[in-house]
Amino acid sequence: MANRIAYQGEPGANSNIACTDMFPDMDAVPCASFEDVFELVTSGTADLAMIPIENSIAGRVADIHTLLPNSHLQIVGEYFLRIRFDLLGIPGSTIEQAKEVHSHLHALGQCRKLIRSLGLRPVIAGDTAGSAREVRDWNDPSKVSLAPPLAAGMYGLDVLASGVEDDPTNTTRFVVLAQERPTPGRGTFPGPVITSFLFRVRNVPSALYKALGGFATNGVNMTRLESYMVGNEFSATMFMADVEGHPDEPPLRRALEELEFFTTEVRILGVYAADAYRSG
């Protein structure tokens, strides 16, 4: 085994932190794009991938909903990371000198209050930690970065303000991906289980309402449901969902069987242990 876990971003990014938190004994491998991350796992160069899928403030992460179903990778775990941002500048700079703030689009959106209060011009970067590296390389006191606390020491920057995120409950959910493997059997996990799947409803009136009815009547809790378009077909809508329970448990088994009557496609994306964050 390669004992490597891939993530999108540069060292010090939140995805890097999630990797080291959940898998401290694995080598975390940075990648320039999500496509590169998926390719490393598909090719066997990395065993796992850590992918952000949704944020409590910014919503779902773009591109993942189209990449994941086509990747033929399987969700084998999840991790919830409390998101923290610091305002970073070059050594010796002051917050009064700052004119531009650089970071990932989601980070800028999660720190609007600070940006507004300081009158900074937001500039989108490809990655939070990458923006810290760029600020270091520019060596310009007027340019600052919004990045995770780990990035300050990693790139030799000063912390001009800490904990600047708008919402102290700001949390990102990550999923852990691996090559396809047999679905873990019922009773594999000691605690709660999450089943993720996608489905496409038939193009008939009330199809979604009817498709979801089985989950309600069988008492299955659906924790997430999102839709996205398939290609350029505005009439072809796919849905990704997370539910509590294992597919072999009678309530969820019955709900999935009923779902098939009103869909043209149902595919399980993963069955895995629920993160302890959910119980909190």
Side-chain angles (χ1 to χ4, degrees), residues 30-259:
C31 297
S33 67
F34 288 124
E35 289 88 346
D36 292 341
V37 175
F38 282 71
E39 175 57 31
L40 284 187
V41 179
T42 301
S43 66
T45 306
D47 302 302
L48 302 173
M50 181 71 74
I51 298 293
I53 196 165
E54 57 187 330
N55 177 265
S56 59
I57 296 175
R60 73 185 186 186
V61 177
D63 299 334
I64 297 304
H65 292 69
T66 54
L67 291 173
L68 180 56
N70 297 321
S71 69
H72 301 293
L73 299 181
Q74 183 177 356
I75 302 175
V76 296
E78 65 174 358
Y79 185 71
F80 289 80
L81 177 67
R82 165 77 169 83
I83 302 299
R84 295 176 172 85
F85 289 113
D86 288 351
L87 188 68
L88 309 179
I90 63 172
S93 63
T94 65
I95 202 166
E96 290 77 18
Q97 293 174 292
K99 303 297 180 185
E100 291 181 359
V101 58
H102 298 253
S103 197
H104 188 273
L105 175 63
H106 281 187
L108 295 172
Q110 293 163 25
C111 301
R112 288 192 179 96
K113 293 178 182 176
L114 174 83
I115 295 172
R116 233 178 5 249
S117 67
L118 297 178
L120 302 177
R121 185 171 75 87
V123 181
I124 297 173
D127 175 66
T128 52
S131 73
R133 175 186 54 77
E134 290 174 337
V135 165
R136 178 202 64 187
D137 294 344
W138 289 324
N139 197 32
D140 182 346
S142 70
K143 301 180 188 296
V144 294
S145 163
L146 282 169
L150 183 64
M154 190 167 287
Y155 296 103
L157 299 176
D158 285 352
V159 178
L160 306 182
S162 61
V164 298
E165 60 277 3
D166 293 345
D167 190 334
T169 66
N170 187 3
T171 302
T172 292
R173 177 182 177 234
F174 292 82
V175 290
V176 181
L177 306 179
Q179 291 186 11
E180 288 185 313
R181 58 183 69 172
T183 299
R186 183 181 176 187
T188 301
F189 308 107
V193 175
I194 301 296
T195 296
S196 295
F197 59 96
L198 61 79
F199 63 94
R200 187 196 306 230
V201 295
R202 297 184 184 278
N203 192 16
V204 296
S206 304
L208 179 59
Y209 172 79
K210 296 173 182 175
L212 298 181
F215 296 94
T217 57
N218 285 285
V220 175
N221 186 30
M222 183 170 288
T223 61
R224 174 169 164 267
L225 176 67
E226 293 191 10
S227 65
Y228 65 98
M229 306 308 297
V230 180
N232 296 320
E233 302 177 28
F234 286 92
S235 61
T237 304
M238 295 290 290
F239 293 87
M240 292 183 67
D242 297 332
V243 295
E244 295 177 350
H246 191 284
D248 290 341
E249 294 172 352
L252 182 51
R253 186 181 67 243
R254 290 192 296 266
L256 291 172
E257 288 172 353
E258 189 168 336
L259 176 66

